[in-house]
Amino acid sequence: MILTADYHTHTPYSHGKNTVLENALAAKEKGLKAIGITDHGYSHIFFGLRRKKVPFLQAECRAAQEKTGVKVLVGMEANIRGESGLTDITDKDYDDFDLFVAGKHVCVTYATPGDFRRYFWGNLIQDKFKKGKNPPEKLVEYNTRAYINAIKNNPVDIISHLGYKCPCNVAEVAKCARDYGTYIELNSKKRHLTDEELAAVCDTGVRFVLDSDAHSASRVGDFAPAEEQIQRVGVPLDRIDNINGREPAFRFAAFKNGR
């Protein structure tokens, strides 16, 4: 299995260690055709990309692409901010970005007080104090709706680390992703799906991308931990669209071209 592109990497625009150029150089060294620079979204309290920095990010991505020959996509790992599926990227931001990744994170500004109570406290209590116990059914249903509404209401390319610190019905989320043309990420940094969950996701027919979630240039293109699980579960390699020379048909670019 040979990685074609790594669509989830971080830089100091959030809390990555290396610059856009250093990540792109690492991608070139690994033989990748493309890399996504996907720093955390605006609503992340501690590590979010700041709007005033977007022109600098864009310029660095263009310069890195020119220098390395690697396609460098201006992206964001947008935060899902509540049950409505609201994310950091809205229609006024579409022209600023090439790649739309969305996922659940902890320290963000939530859409409503109710989302803060459920999406923050509910998941935090489950993760910190009830780990290993079955999560409440209402929490699972709430989290599932948040993922599904994010996919339905936004042209999201990739759902990052599905279910990480956010228990949900992964098969139902995957069905929605399949129907809307959103990819489910196989994240090589975070163990986010059990083998049983990955098998259930795979059974839906959804398509995947394999990403490093690199926070340093040394990890760009590293997919070894995820590869072990892929082989163990038996995920068909022809369903992973950024390996062996293939490149995904991303939803966000198609949406923008059709406006």
Side-chain angles (χ1 to χ4, degrees):
M1 185 161 60
I2 300 172
L3 197 66
T4 308
D6 188 349
Y7 294 110
H8 186 172
T9 73
H10 293 269
T11 74
Y13 283 102
S14 57
H15 61 149
K17 295 180 180 178
N18 293 99
T19 65
V20 172
L21 177 58
E22 288 168 334
N23 281 10
L25 287 168
K28 181 178 182 178
E29 190 174 307
K30 297 282 182 69
L32 304 184
K33 294 181 179 179
I35 186 172
I37 304 300
T38 51
D39 285 296
H40 291 294
Y42 303 127
S43 67
H44 200 295
I45 295 170
F46 299 111
F47 302 123
L49 173 67
R50 300 303 172 222
R51 288 185 183 276
K52 65 183 180 180
K53 296 289 187 180
V54 171
F56 300 98
L57 170 62
Q58 293 168 327
E60 286 193 40
C61 288
R62 289 194 297 268
Q65 180 167 305
E66 290 175 5
K67 183 165 186 175
T68 64
V70 174
K71 187 175 184 179
V72 181
L73 298 173
V74 183
M76 178 191 285
E77 188 184 13
N79 303 293
I80 300 172
R81 300 175 61 192
E83 184 178 12
S84 69
L86 178 68
T87 79
D88 297 301
I89 296 181
T90 63
D91 54 1
K92 67 181 180 181
D93 304 305
Y94 287 171
D95 291 337
D96 290 335
F97 296 95
D98 307 313
L99 181 64
F100 191 164
V101 181
K104 167 69 170 71
H105 298 91
V106 177
C107 296
V108 306
T109 54
Y110 294 88
T112 69
D115 290 316
F116 176 73
R117 185 176 68 253
R118 294 179 180 179
Y119 213 32
F120 175 74
W121 282 113
N123 285 306
L124 186 69
I125 289 169
Q126 180 65 35
D127 178 58
K128 297 298 184 184
F129 303 108
K130 297 183 180 180
K131 188 175 287 188
K133 298 181 181 179
N134 290 331
E137 185 176 339
K138 286 186 177 181
L139 179 63
V140 172
E141 292 173 351
Y142 173 90
N143 290 337
T144 302
R145 287 193 298 272
Y147 276 120
I148 286 175
N149 286 332
I151 294 167
K152 286 183 174 180
N153 297 336
N154 306 277
V156 175
D157 290 320
I158 302 168
I159 291 293
S160 62
H161 45 68
L162 174 63
Y164 181 68
K165 296 187 177 182
C166 184
C168 64
N169 186 324
V170 295
E172 289 302 311
V173 177
K175 288 176 187 177
C176 182
R178 175 199 65 198
D179 293 344
Y180 279 79
T182 293
Y183 288 89
I184 297 297
E185 180 184 69
L186 301 171
N187 186 295
S188 199
K189 180 175 184 285
K190 299 177 174 71
R191 179 171 171 78
H192 58 109
L193 295 172
T194 65
D195 287 359
E196 293 75 16
E197 287 174 328
L198 180 54
V201 168
C202 194
D203 286 345
T204 69
V206 73
R207 303 195 72 80
F208 300 96
V209 292
L210 175 59
D211 289 327
S212 69
D213 194 358
H215 286 62
S216 64
S218 63
R219 282 209 62 253
V220 169
D222 177 11
F223 60 89
E227 183 180 24
E228 293 175 5
Q229 187 181 31
I230 289 165
Q231 293 176 344
R232 194 167 59 245
V233 174
V235 177
L237 298 188
D238 62 3
R239 294 259 299 282
I240 305 173
D241 280 355
N242 63 327
I243 62 170
N244 300 339
R246 294 192 297 275
E247 296 183 67
F250 279 137
R251 177 184 175 192
F252 187 44
F255 175 85
K256 292 198 295 180
N257 288 338
R259 282 191 296 174

